[in-house]
């Protein structure tokens, strides 16, 4: 409490009258430890924060990688009328230094804490162990109703931890090995009663393509074989898939391999330039420790719109910065801490360089267009001179003082025209008008040209094909044609006259597209070979 004294002098007696006032002091500040009213509500919140079933499965594969597995098997099968997903690995096991009962009890009772958090950043990078929060197992809620984690180490007893969606308790019990050839040390995770809404999302073909991109950095840096077996498919359907690092189809940009981040570790850069004439759009992923945390760098500043040059569709690849603090629940996005701010600042300089690369590529492409135009003009004039030798053609020259007014590419045409006049002179001596008389008009149908002439696609990609009827001189044949398209192999094909739309299947493989054109008694055919790459 606070005591204060106040006084004043009496005019009659000359004495001071003193008043004492007492008021309570302000309470001392204290600290309160945050504590959830219901701890399982917090667990429920963490589990529901993961909404992508593919990412949840990738988290389980990540755990196997963190355990040093060299072989990981994912099996998709039926289980009493429901779907079951099984993951098996030959890693060192869950807390191998503990008994199996204690190890399983520990992971059940330490949700929100992970032994990986005690590793330094350099140690985590060396092990490529991204997880730090111990909540990855809860992602099974978005995949299925039940999850069993079976563990065996050093040929000892096999124990199993049984978890159920939205239940606050779990069961730990001794289990028999599933088969006599089980390894002395293995871990097996089964997710039973897979939700109907996610079954299509995690089918083996789709899961293979997702893991190939999601864990690309991990797969490149480890000696590991990841296989997916489909025990549900019937007949000739593809049943065995191998997860290989995602392949990018653009032109490599080897001048960009690292990005210096002052005060922090450098980022690894792997970029490819997508050809401007391709219909597909490229995208660049952001990764941390080999695992994708942002699917498209163009969405880095969500509130400010797409970010250049990543939104151009001309770039594909991945940038990996190991010091990002990743969102613990969904493992998507990252905290804007000092390391992230330093990375974004350094990223700006890379973006400026890439914009210059794209601009230069477009300039080169425009120049090539002008060259192609000049070539076509040369061919046309050659045919005119040969077919009509009685005409004396004039030279096309730029007038004096008009160079600045010549449009871009015209100078190139004029330069090539001078070369063409020399070629025409030689042609006049060796060719006769009758030999080229059929050049005007176009001749009858002789062959078909399809663009593109060969396809290399990622699973699920779409591509438009266009066919053109040509005469013997390579010119477009005139008249009405009857078109026919057919597909040999996987995928879908829809056609409309000389144009068709091909959809790649979800599994890697080969296919062949055949197109034919008929005009009265004439018929021509062409084929396009298709490769579906993982």
């Amino acid at each position: 409490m606070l005591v204060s004294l106040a006084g004043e002098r009496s005019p009659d007696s000359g004495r001071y009258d003193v008043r004492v006032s007492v008021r309570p002091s302000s309470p001392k500040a204290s600290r309160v430890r945050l504590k959830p009213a219901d701890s399982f509500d917090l667990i429920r919140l963490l589990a529901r924060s993961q909404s992508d079933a593919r990412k949840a499965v990738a988290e389980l594969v990540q755990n196997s990688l963190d355990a040093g597995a060299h072989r990981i098997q994912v099996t998709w099968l039926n289980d009493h009328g429901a779907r079951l997903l099984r993951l098996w690995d030959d890693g060192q096991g869950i807390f191998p230094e503990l008994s199996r009962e204690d190890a399983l009890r520990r992971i059940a009772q330490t949700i929100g804490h992970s032994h990986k958090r005690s590793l330094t950043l350099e140690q985590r990078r060396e092990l490529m162990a991204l997880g730090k929060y111990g909540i990855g197992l809860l992602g099974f809620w978005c995949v299925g109703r039940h999850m069993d984690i079976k563990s065996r180490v050093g040929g000892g007893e096999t124990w199993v931890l049984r978890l159920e969606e939205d239940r606050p308790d779990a069961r730990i019990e001794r289990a028999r090995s599933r088969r006599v050839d089980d390894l002395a040390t293995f871990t097996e995770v089964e997710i039973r009663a897979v939700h109907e809404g996610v079954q299509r999302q995690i089918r083996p073909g789709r899961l293979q393509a997702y893991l190939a991109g999601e864990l690309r950095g991990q797969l490149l840096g480890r000696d590991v074989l990841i296989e997916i077996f489909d025990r549900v498919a019937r007949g000739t359907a593809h049943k065995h898939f191998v997860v290989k690092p995602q392949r990018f189809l653009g032109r490599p940009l080897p001048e960009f391999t690292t990005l210096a981040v002052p005060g922090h570790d450098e980022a690894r850069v792997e970029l490819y330039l997508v050809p401007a004439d391709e219909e597909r759009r490229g995208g660049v992923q952001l990764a941390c420790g080999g695992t994708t945390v942002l699917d498209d760098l163009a969405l880095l500043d969500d509130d400010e719109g797409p970010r250049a040059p990543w939104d151009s569709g001309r770039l594909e690849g991945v940038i990996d910065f190991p010091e990002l603090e990743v969102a613990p629940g969904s493992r998507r996005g990252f905290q804007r801490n000092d390391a992230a701010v330093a990375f974004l600042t350094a990223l700006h300089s890379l973006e400026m360089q890439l914009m210059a690369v794209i601009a230069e590529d477009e300039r080169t492409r425009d120049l090539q267009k002008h060259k192609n135009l000049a070539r076509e003009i040369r061919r046309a004039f050659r045919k005119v001179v040969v077919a009509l030798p009685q005409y004396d053609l004039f030279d096309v020259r730029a007038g004096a003082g008009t160079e600045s007014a010549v449009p871009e590419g015209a100078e190139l045409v004029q330069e090539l025209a001078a070369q063409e006049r020399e070629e025409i002179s030689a042609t006049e001596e060796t060719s006769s008008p009758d030999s080229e008389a059929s050049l005007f008009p176009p001749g009858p149908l002789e062959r078909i040209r399809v663009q593109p002439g060969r396809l290399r696609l990622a699973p699920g990609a779409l591509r438009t094909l266009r066919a053109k009827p040509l005469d013997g001189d390579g010119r477009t044949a005139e008249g009405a044609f009857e078109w026919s398209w057919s597909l040999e192999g996987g995928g879908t094909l829809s056609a409309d006259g000389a144009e068709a739309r091909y959809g790649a299947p979800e599994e890697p493989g080969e296919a062949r597209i055949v197109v034919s054109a008929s005009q009265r008694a004439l018929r021509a055919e062409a084929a396009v070979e298709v490769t579906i790459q993982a």
Side-chain angles (χ1 to χ4, degrees), residues 381-409:
F381 272 90
R382 178 187 291 118
K383 296 170 184 177
V384 170
V385 170
V386 173
L388 304 173
Q390 65 271 32
Y391 292 98
D392 186 14
L393 300 180
F394 58 88
D395 290 339
V396 179
R397 298 182 183 278
T402 62
E403 292 185 2
S404 60
V406 176
E408 183 181 358

PDB file of all heavy atoms in Angstrom, residues 381-409:
ATOM      1  N   PHE A 381      10.178 -16.737-103.949  1.00  0.00           N
ATOM      2  CA  PHE A 381      10.771 -16.051-105.082  1.00  0.00           C
ATOM      3  C   PHE A 381      11.516 -17.016-105.996  1.00  0.00           C
ATOM      4  O   PHE A 381      11.571 -16.824-107.212  1.00  0.00           O
ATOM      5  CB  PHE A 381      11.704 -14.935-104.597  1.00  0.00           C
ATOM      6  CG  PHE A 381      10.990 -13.630-104.373  1.00  0.00           C
ATOM      7  CD1 PHE A 381      10.442 -13.341-103.140  1.00  0.00           C
ATOM      8  CD2 PHE A 381      10.842 -12.718-105.394  1.00  0.00           C
ATOM      9  CE1 PHE A 381       9.768 -12.162-102.917  1.00  0.00           C
ATOM     10  CE2 PHE A 381      10.167 -11.534-105.191  1.00  0.00           C
ATOM     11  CZ  PHE A 381       9.625 -11.238-103.950  1.00  0.00           C
ATOM     12  N   ARG A 382      12.094 -18.068-105.419  1.00  0.00           N
ATOM     13  CA  ARG A 382      12.770 -19.043-106.264  1.00  0.00           C
ATOM     14  C   ARG A 382      11.768 -19.690-107.210  1.00  0.00           C
ATOM     15  O   ARG A 382      12.041 -19.883-108.410  1.00  0.00           O
ATOM     16  CB  ARG A 382      13.457 -20.107-105.408  1.00  0.00           C
ATOM     17  CG  ARG A 382      14.145 -21.177-106.245  1.00  0.00           C
ATOM     18  CD  ARG A 382      14.682 -22.329-105.392  1.00  0.00           C
ATOM     19  NE  ARG A 382      15.798 -21.884-104.575  1.00  0.00           N
ATOM     20  CZ  ARG A 382      15.794 -21.885-103.251  1.00  0.00           C
ATOM     21  NH1 ARG A 382      14.715 -22.270-102.604  1.00  0.00           N
ATOM     22  NH2 ARG A 382      16.838 -21.484-102.570  1.00  0.00           N
ATOM     23  N   LYS A 383      10.609 -20.045-106.685  1.00  0.00           N
ATOM     24  CA  LYS A 383       9.598 -20.701-107.502  1.00  0.00           C
ATOM     25  C   LYS A 383       9.052 -19.759-108.583  1.00  0.00           C
ATOM     26  O   LYS A 383       8.782 -20.173-109.715  1.00  0.00           O
ATOM     27  CB  LYS A 383       8.470 -21.199-106.612  1.00  0.00           C
ATOM     28  CG  LYS A 383       8.923 -22.274-105.633  1.00  0.00           C
ATOM     29  CD  LYS A 383       7.863 -22.578-104.586  1.00  0.00           C
ATOM     30  CE  LYS A 383       8.395 -23.577-103.570  1.00  0.00           C
ATOM     31  NZ  LYS A 383       7.404 -23.845-102.496  1.00  0.00           N
ATOM     32  N   VAL A 384       8.911 -18.479-108.232  1.00  0.00           N
ATOM     33  CA  VAL A 384       8.417 -17.510-109.204  1.00  0.00           C
ATOM     34  C   VAL A 384       9.403 -17.357-110.358  1.00  0.00           C
ATOM     35  O   VAL A 384       9.040 -17.342-111.541  1.00  0.00           O
ATOM     36  CB  VAL A 384       8.151 -16.147-108.535  1.00  0.00           C
ATOM     37  CG1 VAL A 384       7.879 -15.073-109.579  1.00  0.00           C
ATOM     38  CG2 VAL A 384       6.975 -16.255-107.575  1.00  0.00           C
ATOM     39  N   VAL A 385      10.683 -17.238-110.033  1.00  0.00           N
ATOM     40  CA  VAL A 385      11.705 -17.048-111.074  1.00  0.00           C
ATOM     41  C   VAL A 385      11.766 -18.250-111.998  1.00  0.00           C
ATOM     42  O   VAL A 385      11.895 -18.121-113.216  1.00  0.00           O
ATOM     43  CB  VAL A 385      13.073 -16.785-110.416  1.00  0.00           C
ATOM     44  CG1 VAL A 385      14.184 -16.835-111.457  1.00  0.00           C
ATOM     45  CG2 VAL A 385      13.062 -15.440-109.728  1.00  0.00           C
ATOM     46  N   VAL A 386      11.662 -19.447-111.437  1.00  0.00           N
ATOM     47  CA  VAL A 386      11.754 -20.647-112.253  1.00  0.00           C
ATOM     48  C   VAL A 386      10.508 -20.807-113.133  1.00  0.00           C
ATOM     49  O   VAL A 386      10.602 -21.156-114.308  1.00  0.00           O
ATOM     50  CB  VAL A 386      11.947 -21.887-111.354  1.00  0.00           C
ATOM     51  CG1 VAL A 386      11.870 -23.170-112.173  1.00  0.00           C
ATOM     52  CG2 VAL A 386      13.289 -21.807-110.636  1.00  0.00           C
ATOM     53  N   ALA A 387       9.323 -20.541-112.553  1.00  0.00           N
ATOM     54  CA  ALA A 387       8.089 -20.747-113.302  1.00  0.00           C
ATOM     55  C   ALA A 387       7.811 -19.631-114.304  1.00  0.00           C
ATOM     56  O   ALA A 387       7.182 -19.865-115.342  1.00  0.00           O
ATOM     57  CB  ALA A 387       6.918 -20.869-112.333  1.00  0.00           C
ATOM     58  N   LEU A 388       8.312 -18.407-114.041  1.00  0.00           N
ATOM     59  CA  LEU A 388       8.036 -17.260-114.906  1.00  0.00           C
ATOM     60  C   LEU A 388       9.342 -16.575-115.279  1.00  0.00           C
ATOM     61  O   LEU A 388       9.635 -15.453-114.850  1.00  0.00           O
ATOM     62  CB  LEU A 388       7.097 -16.276-114.187  1.00  0.00           C
ATOM     63  CG  LEU A 388       5.760 -16.850-113.700  1.00  0.00           C
ATOM     64  CD1 LEU A 388       5.026 -15.822-112.861  1.00  0.00           C
ATOM     65  CD2 LEU A 388       4.915 -17.302-114.874  1.00  0.00           C
ATOM     66  N   PRO A 389      10.177 -17.208-116.083  1.00  0.00           N
ATOM     67  CA  PRO A 389      11.486 -16.628-116.401  1.00  0.00           C
ATOM     68  C   PRO A 389      11.387 -15.396-117.289  1.00  0.00           C
ATOM     69  O   PRO A 389      12.363 -14.664-117.418  1.00  0.00           O
ATOM     70  CB  PRO A 389      12.199 -17.775-117.122  1.00  0.00           C
ATOM     71  CG  PRO A 389      11.103 -18.597-117.709  1.00  0.00           C
ATOM     72  CD  PRO A 389       9.973 -18.509-116.743  1.00  0.00           C
ATOM     73  N   GLN A 390      10.219 -15.193-117.923  1.00  0.00           N
ATOM     74  CA  GLN A 390      10.090 -14.051-118.817  1.00  0.00           C
ATOM     75  C   GLN A 390      10.001 -12.723-118.085  1.00  0.00           C
ATOM     76  O   GLN A 390      10.088 -11.660-118.697  1.00  0.00           O
ATOM     77  CB  GLN A 390       8.845 -14.226-119.713  1.00  0.00           C
ATOM     78  CG  GLN A 390       7.513 -14.229-118.974  1.00  0.00           C
ATOM     79  CD  GLN A 390       7.089 -15.621-118.519  1.00  0.00           C
ATOM     80  OE1 GLN A 390       7.958 -16.439-118.219  1.00  0.00           O
ATOM     81  NE2 GLN A 390       5.787 -15.871-118.505  1.00  0.00           N
ATOM     82  N   TYR A 391       9.801 -12.771-116.747  1.00  0.00           N
ATOM     83  CA  TYR A 391       9.693 -11.539-115.976  1.00  0.00           C
ATOM     84  C   TYR A 391      11.030 -11.194-115.327  1.00  0.00           C
ATOM     85  O   TYR A 391      11.709 -12.061-114.770  1.00  0.00           O
ATOM     86  CB  TYR A 391       8.615 -11.656-114.908  1.00  0.00           C
ATOM     87  CG  TYR A 391       7.214 -11.746-115.479  1.00  0.00           C
ATOM     88  CD1 TYR A 391       6.595 -12.991-115.633  1.00  0.00           C
ATOM     89  CD2 TYR A 391       6.532 -10.598-115.871  1.00  0.00           C
ATOM     90  CE1 TYR A 391       5.334 -13.089-116.156  1.00  0.00           C
ATOM     91  CE2 TYR A 391       5.258 -10.690-116.397  1.00  0.00           C
ATOM     92  CZ  TYR A 391       4.660 -11.934-116.547  1.00  0.00           C
ATOM     93  OH  TYR A 391       3.406 -12.019-117.071  1.00  0.00           O
ATOM     94  N   ASP A 392      11.402  -9.918-115.431  1.00  0.00           N
ATOM     95  CA  ASP A 392      12.633  -9.437-114.812  1.00  0.00           C
ATOM     96  C   ASP A 392      12.267  -8.827-113.459  1.00  0.00           C
ATOM     97  O   ASP A 392      11.649  -7.753-113.395  1.00  0.00           O
ATOM     98  CB  ASP A 392      13.300  -8.391-115.708  1.00  0.00           C
ATOM     99  CG  ASP A 392      14.669  -7.987-115.163  1.00  0.00           C
ATOM    100  OD1 ASP A 392      15.171  -8.710-114.280  1.00  0.00           O
ATOM    101  OD2 ASP A 392      15.188  -6.942-115.609  1.00  0.00           O
ATOM    102  N   LEU A 393      12.602  -9.513-112.352  1.00  0.00           N
ATOM    103  CA  LEU A 393      12.199  -9.054-111.015  1.00  0.00           C
ATOM    104  C   LEU A 393      13.123  -7.943-110.537  1.00  0.00           C
ATOM    105  O   LEU A 393      14.336  -7.988-110.749  1.00  0.00           O
ATOM    106  CB  LEU A 393      12.244 -10.212-110.025  1.00  0.00           C
ATOM    107  CG  LEU A 393      11.334 -11.397-110.371  1.00  0.00           C
ATOM    108  CD1 LEU A 393      11.470 -12.472-109.309  1.00  0.00           C
ATOM    109  CD2 LEU A 393       9.882 -10.949-110.496  1.00  0.00           C
ATOM    110  N   PHE A 394      12.537  -6.967-109.876  1.00  0.00           N
ATOM    111  CA  PHE A 394      13.311  -5.834-109.369  1.00  0.00           C
ATOM    112  C   PHE A 394      13.924  -6.165-108.015  1.00  0.00           C
ATOM    113  O   PHE A 394      13.457  -7.053-107.302  1.00  0.00           O
ATOM    114  CB  PHE A 394      12.422  -4.588-109.244  1.00  0.00           C
ATOM    115  CG  PHE A 394      11.227  -4.803-108.351  1.00  0.00           C
ATOM    116  CD1 PHE A 394      11.309  -4.593-106.988  1.00  0.00           C
ATOM    117  CD2 PHE A 394      10.007  -5.237-108.881  1.00  0.00           C
ATOM    118  CE1 PHE A 394      10.228  -4.779-106.166  1.00  0.00           C
ATOM    119  CE2 PHE A 394       8.919  -5.430-108.053  1.00  0.00           C
ATOM    120  CZ  PHE A 394       9.018  -5.202-106.701  1.00  0.00           C
ATOM    121  N   ASP A 395      14.978  -5.417-107.682  1.00  0.00           N
ATOM    122  CA  ASP A 395      15.627  -5.571-106.380  1.00  0.00           C
ATOM    123  C   ASP A 395      14.862  -4.774-105.339  1.00  0.00           C
ATOM    124  O   ASP A 395      14.354  -3.686-105.613  1.00  0.00           O
ATOM    125  CB  ASP A 395      17.073  -5.068-106.423  1.00  0.00           C
ATOM    126  CG  ASP A 395      17.942  -5.992-107.256  1.00  0.00           C
ATOM    127  OD1 ASP A 395      17.535  -7.154-107.431  1.00  0.00           O
ATOM    128  OD2 ASP A 395      18.997  -5.522-107.724  1.00  0.00           O
ATOM    129  N   VAL A 396      14.784  -5.312-104.117  1.00  0.00           N
ATOM    130  CA  VAL A 396      14.162  -4.592-103.011  1.00  0.00           C
ATOM    131  C   VAL A 396      15.282  -4.026-102.167  1.00  0.00           C
ATOM    132  O   VAL A 396      16.055  -4.773-101.561  1.00  0.00           O
ATOM    133  CB  VAL A 396      13.273  -5.525-102.163  1.00  0.00           C
ATOM    134  CG1 VAL A 396      12.664  -4.758-101.009  1.00  0.00           C
ATOM    135  CG2 VAL A 396      12.190  -6.138-103.029  1.00  0.00           C
ATOM    136  N   ARG A 397      15.376  -2.702-102.117  1.00  0.00           N
ATOM    137  CA  ARG A 397      16.453  -2.061-101.387  1.00  0.00           C
ATOM    138  C   ARG A 397      15.881  -0.980-100.475  1.00  0.00           C
ATOM    139  O   ARG A 397      14.863  -0.362-100.798  1.00  0.00           O
ATOM    140  CB  ARG A 397      17.479  -1.440-102.332  1.00  0.00           C
ATOM    141  CG  ARG A 397      18.164  -2.457-103.231  1.00  0.00           C
ATOM    142  CD  ARG A 397      19.206  -1.795-104.119  1.00  0.00           C
ATOM    143  NE  ARG A 397      19.806  -2.749-105.029  1.00  0.00           N
ATOM    144  CZ  ARG A 397      20.807  -3.566-104.697  1.00  0.00           C
ATOM    145  NH1 ARG A 397      21.305  -3.508-103.481  1.00  0.00           N
ATOM    146  NH2 ARG A 397      21.304  -4.421-105.570  1.00  0.00           N
ATOM    147  N   ALA A 398      16.551  -0.719 -99.384  1.00  0.00           N
ATOM    148  CA  ALA A 398      16.148   0.368 -98.505  1.00  0.00           C
ATOM    149  C   ALA A 398      16.599   1.680 -99.109  1.00  0.00           C
ATOM    150  O   ALA A 398      17.720   1.803 -99.594  1.00  0.00           O
ATOM    151  CB  ALA A 398      16.775   0.197 -97.122  1.00  0.00           C
ATOM    152  N   GLY A 399      15.720   2.691 -99.098  1.00  0.00           N
ATOM    153  CA  GLY A 399      16.062   3.995 -99.648  1.00  0.00           C
ATOM    154  C   GLY A 399      17.053   4.719 -98.762  1.00  0.00           C
ATOM    155  O   GLY A 399      17.235   4.396 -97.589  1.00  0.00           O
ATOM    156  N   ALA A 400      17.720   5.708 -99.339  1.00  0.00           N
ATOM    157  CA  ALA A 400      18.698   6.482 -98.575  1.00  0.00           C
ATOM    158  C   ALA A 400      18.035   7.203 -97.423  1.00  0.00           C
ATOM    159  O   ALA A 400      16.983   7.814 -97.582  1.00  0.00           O
ATOM    160  CB  ALA A 400      19.386   7.490 -99.499  1.00  0.00           C
ATOM    161  N   GLY A 401      18.659   7.110 -96.262  1.00  0.00           N
ATOM    162  CA  GLY A 401      18.138   7.823 -95.098  1.00  0.00           C
ATOM    163  C   GLY A 401      16.925   7.181 -94.477  1.00  0.00           C
ATOM    164  O   GLY A 401      16.269   7.777 -93.630  1.00  0.00           O
ATOM    165  N   THR A 402      16.583   5.953 -94.874  1.00  0.00           N
ATOM    166  CA  THR A 402      15.373   5.321 -94.340  1.00  0.00           C
ATOM    167  C   THR A 402      15.695   4.151 -93.425  1.00  0.00           C
ATOM    168  O   THR A 402      14.796   3.419 -93.047  1.00  0.00           O
ATOM    169  CB  THR A 402      14.480   4.821 -95.488  1.00  0.00           C
ATOM    170  OG1 THR A 402      15.213   3.827 -96.222  1.00  0.00           O
ATOM    171  CG2 THR A 402      14.085   5.962 -96.401  1.00  0.00           C
ATOM    172  N   GLU A 403      16.953   3.961 -93.077  1.00  0.00           N
ATOM    173  CA  GLU A 403      17.313   2.788 -92.274  1.00  0.00           C
ATOM    174  C   GLU A 403      16.594   2.774 -90.937  1.00  0.00           C
ATOM    175  O   GLU A 403      16.185   1.740 -90.451  1.00  0.00           O
ATOM    176  CB  GLU A 403      18.827   2.761 -92.060  1.00  0.00           C
ATOM    177  CG  GLU A 403      19.600   2.488 -93.350  1.00  0.00           C
ATOM    178  CD  GLU A 403      21.079   2.355 -93.075  1.00  0.00           C
ATOM    179  OE1 GLU A 403      21.441   2.451 -91.877  1.00  0.00           O
ATOM    180  OE2 GLU A 403      21.852   2.171 -94.013  1.00  0.00           O
ATOM    181  N   SER A 404      16.437   3.969 -90.355  1.00  0.00           N
ATOM    182  CA  SER A 404      15.796   4.009 -89.037  1.00  0.00           C
ATOM    183  C   SER A 404      14.330   3.653 -89.106  1.00  0.00           C
ATOM    184  O   SER A 404      13.728   3.278 -88.107  1.00  0.00           O
ATOM    185  CB  SER A 404      15.953   5.406 -88.428  1.00  0.00           C
ATOM    186  OG  SER A 404      15.341   6.380 -89.279  1.00  0.00           O
ATOM    187  N   ALA A 405      13.733   3.752 -90.295  1.00  0.00           N
ATOM    188  CA  ALA A 405      12.309   3.462 -90.431  1.00  0.00           C
ATOM    189  C   ALA A 405      12.047   2.007 -90.777  1.00  0.00           C
ATOM    190  O   ALA A 405      10.907   1.592 -90.864  1.00  0.00           O
ATOM    191  CB  ALA A 405      11.693   4.362 -91.499  1.00  0.00           C
ATOM    192  N   VAL A 406      13.114   1.230 -91.040  1.00  0.00           N
ATOM    193  CA  VAL A 406      12.921  -0.172 -91.406  1.00  0.00           C
ATOM    194  C   VAL A 406      12.480  -0.948 -90.180  1.00  0.00           C
ATOM    195  O   VAL A 406      13.149  -0.908 -89.145  1.00  0.00           O
ATOM    196  CB  VAL A 406      14.236  -0.760 -91.962  1.00  0.00           C
ATOM    197  CG1 VAL A 406      14.050  -2.242 -92.259  1.00  0.00           C
ATOM    198  CG2 VAL A 406      14.653  -0.015 -93.207  1.00  0.00           C
ATOM    199  N   PRO A 407      11.362  -1.670 -90.233  1.00  0.00           N
ATOM    200  CA  PRO A 407      10.905  -2.408 -89.065  1.00  0.00           C
ATOM    201  C   PRO A 407      11.859  -3.540 -88.725  1.00  0.00           C
ATOM    202  O   PRO A 407      12.629  -4.005 -89.572  1.00  0.00           O
ATOM    203  CB  PRO A 407       9.531  -2.941 -89.507  1.00  0.00           C
ATOM    204  CG  PRO A 407       9.568  -2.936 -90.994  1.00  0.00           C
ATOM    205  CD  PRO A 407      10.459  -1.812 -91.395  1.00  0.00           C
ATOM    206  N   GLU A 408      11.807  -3.963 -87.445  1.00  0.00           N
ATOM    207  CA  GLU A 408      12.703  -5.030 -86.985  1.00  0.00           C
ATOM    208  C   GLU A 408      12.484  -6.290 -87.802  1.00  0.00           C
ATOM    209  O   GLU A 408      11.363  -6.724 -88.018  1.00  0.00           O
ATOM    210  CB  GLU A 408      12.428  -5.336 -85.501  1.00  0.00           C
ATOM    211  CG  GLU A 408      13.363  -6.378 -84.934  1.00  0.00           C
ATOM    212  CD  GLU A 408      13.062  -6.674 -83.479  1.00  0.00           C
ATOM    213  OE1 GLU A 408      12.155  -6.034 -82.942  1.00  0.00           O
ATOM    214  OE2 GLU A 408      13.737  -7.536 -82.913  1.00  0.00           O
ATOM    215  N   GLY A 409      13.552  -6.884 -88.310  1.00  0.00           N
ATOM    216  CA  GLY A 409      13.475  -8.095 -89.117  1.00  0.00           C
ATOM    217  C   GLY A 409      13.524  -7.823 -90.605  1.00  0.00           C
ATOM    218  O   GLY A 409      13.911  -8.682 -91.392  1.00  0.00           O
TER     219      GLY A 409
END
